[in-house]
Structures are given as structure tokens and as C-alpha cells.
Amino acid sequence: MNYGSFDDNSREYVINTPKTPLPWINYLGNKDFFSLVSNTCGGYSFYKDAKLLRLTRYRYNACPMDTNGKYFYIKDGDTVWNPGWQPTKTDLDSYECRHGMGYSRFNSSKNGVSASLLTFVPMSDTCEIHKLSLTNESGSDKEITLFSYVEFCLWNAMDDMTNFQRNLSTGEVEVIGSAIYHKTEYRERRNHYALWYVNTDIESFDTSRDDFLGVYNGPDCPDAVKNGHCTGSVASGWYPVGCHEVKVSLKPGETKTCIFILGYCENPDDDKWEEKGVINKTPAKKLIEKFSTEEGVDKAFNELKDYWATLLSRFHVDSENPHVNRMVNIWNQYQCMVTFNMSRSASYYESGIGRGMGFRDSCQDLLGFVHLIPDRARERIIDIASTQFKDGSAYHQYQPLTKKGNSDIGSGFNDDPLWLIAGTSAYIRETGDTSILDENVPYDNDWSVATTLFEHLTRSFNYTVTHKGPHGLPLIGRADWNDCLNLNCFSEHPGESFQTFGPSEGPVAESIFIGGMFVKYGKEYADLCALCGKTDEQKRAEDEVATMEKAILSHGWDGEWFIRAYDANGNKVGSNECEEGKIYIEPQGFCVLSGVGKETGEAEKALRSVEKYLDSKYGIMILQPAYTKYHVELGEISSYPPGYKENAGIFCHNNPWVSIAETVLGHGNRAFEIYKKTCPSYLEEISDIHRTEPYVYSQMVAGKDAKFFGQGKNSWLTGTAAWTFTDISQYILGVYPTLKGLSIDPCIPSDFGDFKIHREYRNASYDIEVHTNGSEKGVKKLIVNGQEISGSTVIPYDENVKEYKVTVEM
Ligand code: BGC
């Protein structure tokens, strides 16, 4: 069943009922100020860091689901309703939510009044705008009372939810006219406050939650709204909120518009006050001045629209397949931008207080983002590398505000270092900017030991070289890509973290997955060495890669597929010898995409085993058979019930690895079949089963062993976004940036038909026309600006040529 439809021309998903199977959300904000907004106006906002600088409260695990947001109550006689349906849940005469690129729109109506609400975060200001227009569509006058409601978070979201003995006494506000200022802790160590403003005169306001809602009410039935007026409460401690009461008189046919601004305002430490106890409102006044007119808001909104139109024009495909077109041209790229901004910090599944930015996550997010805004990718690479340790290992996560490594989780995830090579290599292949390798970058943020970024990559590479186990394969440490395969943990008590319990550096447990990664990124490291003229280092890297390939084929091959790992006792994990968990997806994907066993036949066999044992109608499962009991020697993986998460779920992130692997072997039909199974647009029709948004990827879909096979969870913040974009754009459609120029080598299903691609690459534009001639793979002819290129699929980059017209015959 569908709950909406794609409007590709407007780049929007149009939801036509508030009762979606789960909240279907959108992200607002590009750089510093961010918000989550659901299709019923739920969500919250933060500045830079969802844990440390949260502006408004949200309750995870809430019941009913998704009941805190920025709400507008329309009181029309005895009827009270909200444009997004929640929280009153009054039946609406019409409802529509349009999630677009960095904005959401709600159009709804009740009893002859229609509401149109536009919500977005402007490009260059630290605020969120709500432009609300009410129209009287009835034949008689309407006297409406409009109430706004936001609940402030006392900044540190963790403290806000736990430290009540303190924070029920710290809340403070100021109210001047229509502007409500939330200034908790401003008197001491903070130099920031929040603004909640409306551009019209108000009848009254409330800033105490108890007074607006009533102590025993929720936002679904505030006392103030029921009574028709706010109380003028000024919060002192307890729960500060921001509520306006606005009278709106509408003649038949008349429309009135109110603009609400939720702003984050910061002052220099030595200029915090206007006078004793009165905050300096200069930054708030600037926001008010800029956005209190419709012209100001419309201008900012058009800037946002133009920004996205320009960004998305950097890669555009025109094929016969509408799913591919809309995912590639709109939603997949959009999701890549969101994962780049958020890493795994804040979603409806990630609480915003747990993880911050992941080292491996952010490096992988770069793969899908770097073609959009290379400058920000460059900055991110430096930030990530600055959290690396001197020996090449890395903090697993860091906090976006402080950019410091998170010592709670620490290091010891032995795949982390290699992802830095992946991200940096993608950046240089995209931009040709080798100067990044000469940047001076600290270790663990300590400038006294800084070296070039190139040296960071060398240390990443060497980390694997110097951390091998008994079979010459990489030691796994606390975990590799699969955070839940904890072979050195042996946890027996609930509450112990599988990721931090036990010795991090077991000397025995090895990962064939990291081996595959080492082959892939070791080769990319060697290519970078060659590019920089470091031929000795290139040779050393190639030798190490060859040694690793040999170790994988001798000790990591099980006969029909690649083994996943050796545990701390030296026993195989993911082998035919095992009772459960005989075959895992990760080493099949990564070893084959790295080319391991391509010439000698293991690669082909491994992929056929994936098809035979791991495939399902909703995607490829992470392992089979599922673990039915807890294996203390394997860690978290077997703690999940069969079919969920890493225990035989369809972990969407690694499906594109197998699809890419199929393209490496030239199997376009199969590569695309895999692509299709997890592609959100294809899943739209089974939204009842899938439940999560049909416009973005989810981290996980329940596998066949689960009770709810096919059900998605943890949408939005997943490496799936970047990897699927890499898969479809670089391997299936085949436009792959190399160090020397763009390579065009598609691997598509035989019935895909001809297609065109527009690609911006290093200050030049490429218009590519592919005649597929029913072929799955193989370029027969490549003509660039009238000249045929032979012997290679790479179009050498020439900085003097700004336009490339490319024709490909397959
Ligand atoms: C983490 C990734 C990890 C994956 C598989 C995700 O939740 O963010 O870093 O690779 O789970 O365990």
C-alpha cells in the first residue's frame, strides 16, 4: 500500500495521510543548524551537535509515538486542530505533507479554514523558519486563535534527560513583545540562547510548560488552548517552553500569514549583556530583521531551492527507468548529504546523544558526498584524520562540536584506519587536489606531533601490516566493519558494552573482511604513492597487498566462499564447519570487489554462494543460518534474535558491496537485481511491510528468520546511502573517477536501454550518451569530443577542456 507518491518535478515526496506506518521524516539544515521534522510536525532542532547544543526537546520511546515538535494549534470555535495533525489528532478535511530538499510543507484544512505551513532552515543563518498561512475558504467570517508551542531543551540533551536535581531549577527566559528568549545557563558559562519569535502582535504568551499545558496534560490538550488564552507565565526553573497566542480574523477568501523564527544566537564572551541580567539581543534582532517579512523568507527559501538545484545538477541520469532516475537524481544524493552532515548522530532511531561522528562512518559517507561539495569533504577528511592516533589506529567516534575523539568508546576497531585511505583517495580521484596530502594534521588533536596527511595514510596502511594474526590475516581487535562481531569480548553480564569489554587487541582473532579491505585500499594507497612519485613506497605497498591476497586465498577460503574470521581460539567463523553462521556477506562482497580470486575462480564461486544461501526477496542477508543461541565467543552478533540486525538481518549497507562485486565480474543483470531489492522507490508499494520512508534507505530490513521479514528499521543515517550511490553511479552506470580522469564503463542489465548522464567533474562538464546495445558490460567504442579513445575507458583529464561530449557504444 502507498501512503503518498513521488513528485519528481518538484523533488518532493508527497505524503497523503498523517497515519504513515512510522513517522516519515525529513532533515532541515545544511551546515550548523539542523532539525528533524516528521510528517506530523514532530521533531527537534540543534546547533552543530545534537548532544551538546540541543534547542528543543524530543522524547524517544514516547507513547504515542512522535509527540513533541514545533506545533501550531488552530482554535476555530470549539474545534482545535494542527496543520500536521499531531498532537491534537483532530480529523482533518484534507492533509498533505511534502518533504523536499531541506524543507517540508504541510497543506491541510478543517471546517473551511486551510493552513499552509512551510518549514525550512535558511542557507546561511542559524535558525528555522515556519511560515504559516491561514485562509478562510468558508462563506462567513472566522475568528481564529492561533497558538504556537515549542519545548526548550536545556542544551545538553543527556543532562536534560537525567540530571533533574539540577535542571529543574536552572530554567530561565526573557520575553519582550513577540520574542521569547530561552537563556538557561546563560548567566554562567554559556554564551548562547534561543529565540522563538512571531512577526505579529500577540495577545499573550506562556513560557512555563505547567501553565500552558497543565501539569497532567500532554501537548494534545493544553489547558491554555482549551481555555482560549495563554496565561503570560514567565518560567523560572521547571520546564521552559515558548508559546504565543495570536488572534487571526479572516473574512471569506482572506489569507493571513505569520512567520515564526526559532533561532540559535551566540554572543562574544565579553559582550553577553545589554544590562545586568538582560541578554544582548543583537544576534536575535538580526534574525528578526531578516526574516520577519515574507520577502525575506521567500528570498531565503529561493536560495535554498537554487542551492539544491545546482548541487543535484552535478550528477544527473536520464534513463528509461523512473526508479533509477529519481533515486540517483534526487533522493539518494540528498540522503548522502544528510549522512555526511549527521554521520550516525541524530535520527528517529539515533538519539543524538550516543555516537557523534563515526570514524569509519564518516569516511564512508564521503564516498557518496565528495562530488557534491568537495571543499567540505576536504575539511572533513582533515577533521577525521586529526582524531587518529600516532600508531595509525583511531578513535571510533568523535563529537562534532569539539571535534575531539570520544574516549568512552576509544579505539581498537581495526578496520577504521583503512577507511581513511578510502575517503582520501575518493577525494583526490574526484578533485585531483593532491595538496591535501601535504596538509599538516595532528594526531589525537595534538599539534606537537602533527605530520602530513600522507603520513597519516601511511600509518593507516601500516597499522594493518603490523597487526596480523597467526594466519597472516589482519587482527580484528574489538570489531571490524561489523560492530557486533566481537571476537575478543566474552561478555557474560548484561550491561557490559560488547564494544568496550574485554581486551581490545586479542593476538589471535583475525578478520578476512579487513583483509579484503586491505587489498582494495592498499591498492588505492599504492596508486597515491605512484601519483606522488614515491615509487619505493608504492612497491612496498603492492608487495604487502600481494602478500595479503595470498593469505586470504590460502587461509580465508572455505571451498565455496570466503571465511568471515578466525575467533580468539583460532576457530573459523562463517565456514561450512560452523553449525550456525556458516556464510557471511561481508568477505564475499569486499574480497570480490577488491579482485581477490577473480582470476582463479574463487570470486565467481563466492558470489554464486551468496545468491544460493544469503539472498532473499528483500535483499541479501548478512549471514546464514541465523544464530539461534548466544555465542559468548562471537559477541553482540548472536545477542539479536534471528533475522534482526547483524544476526541474519538484511543489513542494507553491505548489499551494494555484492552488487559492485557482481559488476567487477561483469554481471549487470545480477548487480541490478541486488540494487533493486533494497531500493526505496521500488519498495514504495510494500510500505505496509517495509514501514520506513520509501524515499530513503534504512540501515536494516528484517531477514527471513525474523517474525517481521521485510520490515525496515533505522532509516536515514546509514552507510547504505553512500555505498548505493557509489554502486549505481560508479559501477552500474559506470562513471568512475580515477586519479587520471573519468572512466566510463557501465555494467547494466541487458534490458536497461540507452541512457544519458550529465556529470560535473573537476571544473568541466561531461555529457555522456551510452548506447547499450543489449549488452551487460564492455565498452566497444568511446568517442570523446569527436575523437575515439582506444585501449582504455578513462577519459584523460585536461584542465584546458571545459566540456566533454562523450558517446559510448557497448
Ligand atoms: C555502524 C557502522 C557499522 C554497522 C554494522 C552501524 O550502526 O554505524 O559503523 O559498520 O552498524 O555494525
Side-chain angles (χ1 to χ4, degrees):
M1 181 180 160
N2 291 14
Y3 294 82
S5 56
F6 287 92
D7 178 347
D8 294 334
N9 288 335
S10 312
R11 299 194 188 95
E12 291 173 336
Y13 191 79
V14 189
I15 302 168
N16 58 27
T17 166
K19 296 178 196 168
T20 43
L22 287 167
W24 283 3
I25 78 156
N26 195 10
Y27 282 85
L28 315 180
N30 285 296
K31 201 150 182 282
D32 292 331
F33 190 106
F34 295 104
S35 302
L36 282 70
V37 56
S38 75
N39 60 312
T40 63
C41 286
Y44 61 96
S45 301
F46 56 93
Y47 177 73
K48 284 192 181 170
D49 192 311
K51 175 178 178 184
L52 299 176
L53 287 176
R54 197 177 293 202
L55 271 85
T56 58
R57 272 193 188 142
Y58 187 73
R59 286 183 189 80
Y60 287 86
N61 274 343
C63 171
M65 205 169 208
D66 190 30
T67 39
N68 220 15
K70 290 81 177 228
Y71 291 135
F72 301 100
Y73 299 85
I74 297 164
K75 186 172 170 75
D76 175 12
D78 290 337
T79 307
V80 179
W81 58 284
N82 304 93
W85 184 63
Q86 289 247 54
T88 59
K89 290 192 271 195
T90 303
D91 281 340
L92 299 172
D93 296 339
S94 66
Y95 162 93
E96 180 184 86
C97 163
R98 291 177 165 261
H99 285 320
M101 308 286 103
Y103 67 91
S104 291
R105 251 182 218 289
F106 298 82
N107 297 314
S108 47
S109 64
K110 179 79 187 170
N111 295 350
V113 175
S114 70
S116 162
L117 172 66
L118 169 68
T119 305
F120 71 101
V121 170
M123 290 299 302
S124 41
D125 292 277
T126 56
C127 67
E128 176 186 282
I129 305 291
H130 298 261
K131 180 178 159 193
L132 174 64
S133 301
L134 298 179
T135 302
N136 182 355
E137 289 173 344
S138 78
S140 46
D141 290 0
K142 289 274 186 186
E143 292 297 331
I144 286 163
T145 314
L146 172 68
F147 297 87
S148 75
Y149 176 71
V150 298
E151 182 179 0
F152 295 112
C153 179
L154 309 190
W155 301 113
N156 181 321
M158 184 65 184
D159 208 56
D160 188 65
M161 285 191 296
T162 47
N163 192 6
F164 303 106
Q165 59 80 28
R166 170 180 163 81
N167 60 32
L168 293 183
S169 292
T170 54
E172 288 191 289
V173 297
E174 270 179 45
V175 184
I176 311 281
S178 310
I180 294 168
Y181 300 91
H182 172 234
K183 59 172 189 178
T184 300
E185 291 190 345
Y186 190 81
R187 63 169 60 246
E188 24 119 0
R189 291 154 298 171
R190 294 192 184 274
N191 64 351
H192 46 260
Y193 57 85
L195 164 77
W196 181 231
Y197 168 82
V198 59
N199 71 338
T200 183
D201 289 342
I202 56 174
E203 296 297 307
S204 183
F205 62 87
D206 267 311
T207 61
S208 146
R209 193 181 82 189
D210 288 351
D211 286 300
F212 183 76
L213 297 183
V215 175
Y216 293 103
N217 292 336
D220 56 324
C221 55
D223 274 349
V225 177
K226 199 166 47 186
N227 300 334
H229 48 81
C230 287
T231 69
S233 59
V234 177
S236 175
W238 299 105
Y239 311 105
V241 294
C243 311
H244 301 103
E245 175 192 336
V246 178
K247 290 273 177 256
V248 187
S249 307
L250 293 172
K251 303 237 164 297
E254 195 182 5
T255 299
K256 280 193 181 149
T257 299
C258 294
I259 297 161
F260 293 82
I261 306 171
L262 175 69
Y264 169 88
C265 303
E266 211 170 81
N267 279 320
D269 282 342
D270 56 2
D271 195 15
K272 282 173 60 170
W273 305 100
E274 252 167 40
E275 55 187 79
K276 194 160 186 285
V278 180
I279 55 177
N280 175 355
K281 306 198 175 57
T282 314
K285 282 181 189 153
K286 280 196 189 134
L287 291 177
I288 291 173
E289 198 182 309
K290 193 160 175 189
F291 297 114
S292 57
T293 62
E294 283 192 59
E295 297 72 56
V297 168
D298 294 348
K299 183 162 174 274
F301 184 59
N302 288 335
E303 266 168 33
L304 179 71
K305 299 260 306 183
D306 290 349
Y307 173 78
W308 274 104
T310 310
L311 265 193
L312 294 177
S313 68
R314 297 184 64 81
F315 192 110
H316 187 95
V317 60
D318 187 2
S319 79
E320 290 169 14
N321 185 315
H323 300 286
V324 168
N325 293 350
R326 75 165 60 105
M327 289 314 299
V328 170
N329 297 337
I330 307 171
W331 291 100
N332 197 172
Q333 294 198 69
Y334 182 59
Q335 190 178 359
C336 285
M337 175 81 150
V338 171
T339 54
F340 174 83
N341 283 331
M342 297 286 133
S343 189
R344 306 296 169 268
S345 65
S347 75
Y348 268 46
Y349 308 83
E350 306 281 4
S351 65
I353 52 181
R355 305 216 259 169
M357 312 292 280
F359 189 97
R360 79 157 79 89
D361 297 326
S362 292
C363 286
Q364 289 172 86
D365 294 342
L366 285 166
L367 306 178
F369 172 83
V370 64
H371 70 290
L372 288 171
I373 314 180
D375 290 353
R376 288 189 64 202
R378 190 182 205 277
E379 192 185 324
R380 177 63 55 81
I381 290 168
I382 307 283
D383 284 352
I384 297 172
S386 305
T387 67
Q388 190 175 22
F389 290 104
K390 275 194 294 186
D391 69 350
S393 65
Y395 276 113
H396 196 45
Q397 291 154 6
Y398 70 97
Q399 218 42 51
L401 185 71
T402 60
K403 297 189 178 173
K404 295 263 161 64
N406 172 353
S407 48
D408 292 346
I409 180 106
S411 68
F413 296 77
N414 283 355
D415 62 321
D416 274 336
L418 291 173
W419 292 114
L420 184 63
I421 300 178
T424 310
S425 153
Y427 170 79
I428 297 175
R429 286 188 283 108
E430 179 68 33
T431 59
D433 169 23
T434 47
S435 75
I436 191 174
L437 294 171
D438 301 326
E439 290 284 342
N440 209 29
V441 182
Y443 291 91
D444 192 8
N445 281 288
D446 177 357
W447 280 99
S448 69
V449 290
T451 68
T452 60
L453 180 66
F454 192 93
E455 175 63 22
H456 278 256
L457 301 190
T458 306
R459 293 187 194 187
S460 287
F461 181 83
N462 286 345
Y463 188 82
T464 306
V465 174
T466 55
H467 290 76
K468 290 187 189 167
H471 301 95
L473 292 162
L475 290 173
I476 197 167
R478 295 189 187 282
D480 60 16
W481 171 86
N482 190 335
D483 272 335
C484 301
L485 188 61
N486 317 112
L487 302 180
N488 294 303
C489 171
F490 298 97
S491 169
E492 295 195 343
H493 301 104
E496 289 162 354
S497 157
F498 289 105
Q499 279 74 42
T500 56
F501 191 75
S504 71
E505 268 311 311
V508 176
E510 298 169 296
S511 160
I512 283 96
F513 167 76
I514 302 182
M517 261 191 93
F518 183 81
V519 173
K520 167 87 176 143
Y521 298 119
K523 283 181 192 162
E524 295 198 10
Y525 172 68
D527 291 344
L528 290 176
C529 294
L531 191 72
C532 300
K534 297 180 195 282
T535 33
D536 289 351
E537 181 65 354
Q538 176 200 350
K539 171 87 180 49
R540 180 183 77 96
E542 285 167 354
D543 289 349
E544 290 292 352
V545 166
T547 307
M548 185 65 78
E549 268 190 276
K550 235 185 256 157
I552 295 174
L553 289 173
S554 327
H555 302 290
W557 180 248
D558 203 47
E560 296 294 321
W561 57 78
F562 292 100
I563 300 167
R564 175 65 174 87
Y566 285 92
D567 71 15
N569 301 315
N571 294 324
K572 292 175 187 167
V573 180
S575 150
N576 209 11
E577 289 171 16
C578 306
E579 226 175 275
E580 313 193 299
K582 285 172 182 287
I583 171 171
Y584 279 63
I585 190 173
E586 301 98 315
Q588 324 312 328
F590 239 90
C591 290
V592 180
L593 75 78
S594 309
V596 180
K598 186 177 168 193
E599 306 307 329
T600 41
E602 290 87 348
E604 182 67 43
K605 270 194 190 161
L607 294 188
R608 298 299 55 87
S609 296
V610 168
E611 199 171 353
K612 187 161 166 200
Y613 300 110
L614 294 178
D615 213 359
S616 83
K617 64 175 167 174
Y618 299 125
I620 304 172
M621 293 168 288
I622 207 167
L623 63 87
Q624 276 294 302
Y627 294 108
T628 55
K629 55 178 196 275
Y630 178 53
H631 293 252
V632 70
E633 76 286 7
L634 301 180
E636 185 170 1
I637 194 161
S638 58
S639 74
Y640 287 107
Y644 292 118
K645 298 278 283 184
E646 280 91 333
N647 185 9
I650 298 154
F651 217 87
C652 301
H653 186 145
N654 47 36
N655 276 238
W657 296 345
V658 180
S659 179
I660 292 172
E662 293 284 2
T663 69
V664 168
L665 301 190
H667 305 149
N669 287 327
R670 174 69 182 151
F672 195 72
E673 185 187 331
I674 298 169
Y675 172 81
K676 263 166 76 169
K677 284 188 181 179
T678 55
C679 178
S681 172
Y682 275 102
L683 301 178
E684 190 187 19
E685 281 174 17
I686 57 151
S687 287
D688 277 334
I689 298 171
H690 189 61
R691 297 189 83 201
T692 49
E693 297 92 331
Y695 40 91
V696 290
Y697 286 91
S698 293
Q699 179 207 59
M700 198 265 311
V701 171
K704 76 170 170 46
D705 304 278
K707 176 159 183 204
F708 300 113
F709 180 32
Q711 193 172 87
K713 281 202 192 96
N714 208 348
S715 55
W716 282 98
L717 302 188
T718 161
T720 316
W723 272 107
T724 337
F725 191 71
T726 303
D727 177 25
I728 186 77
S729 64
Q730 300 183 8
Y731 290 89
I732 295 180
L733 300 172
V735 182
Y736 182 89
T738 74
L739 293 173
K740 304 224 162 72
L742 269 192
S743 153
I744 321 280
D745 190 8
C747 183
I748 33 120
S750 32
D751 60 358
F752 194 71
D754 295 352
F755 61 95
K756 290 184 190 156
I757 285 179
H758 176 84
R759 172 74 150 98
E760 304 279 325
Y761 177 67
R762 301 191 192 179
N763 297 324
S765 66
Y766 291 71
D767 283 294
I768 305 158
E769 209 172 301
V770 182
H771 302 145
T772 55
N773 301 315
S775 166
E776 282 181 75
K777 173 111 177 176
V779 170
K780 294 218 175 84
K781 218 185 219 182
L782 181 61
I783 300 166
V784 181
N785 290 343
Q787 298 249 282
E788 187 169 343
I789 295 187
S790 60
S792 167
T793 60
V794 179
I795 306 166
Y797 180 72
D798 175 349
E799 60 186 7
N800 299 314
V801 182
K802 296 288 170 229
E803 282 174 17
Y804 294 78
K805 294 256 171 289
V806 184
T807 312
V808 179
E809 294 293 338
M810 291 178 68

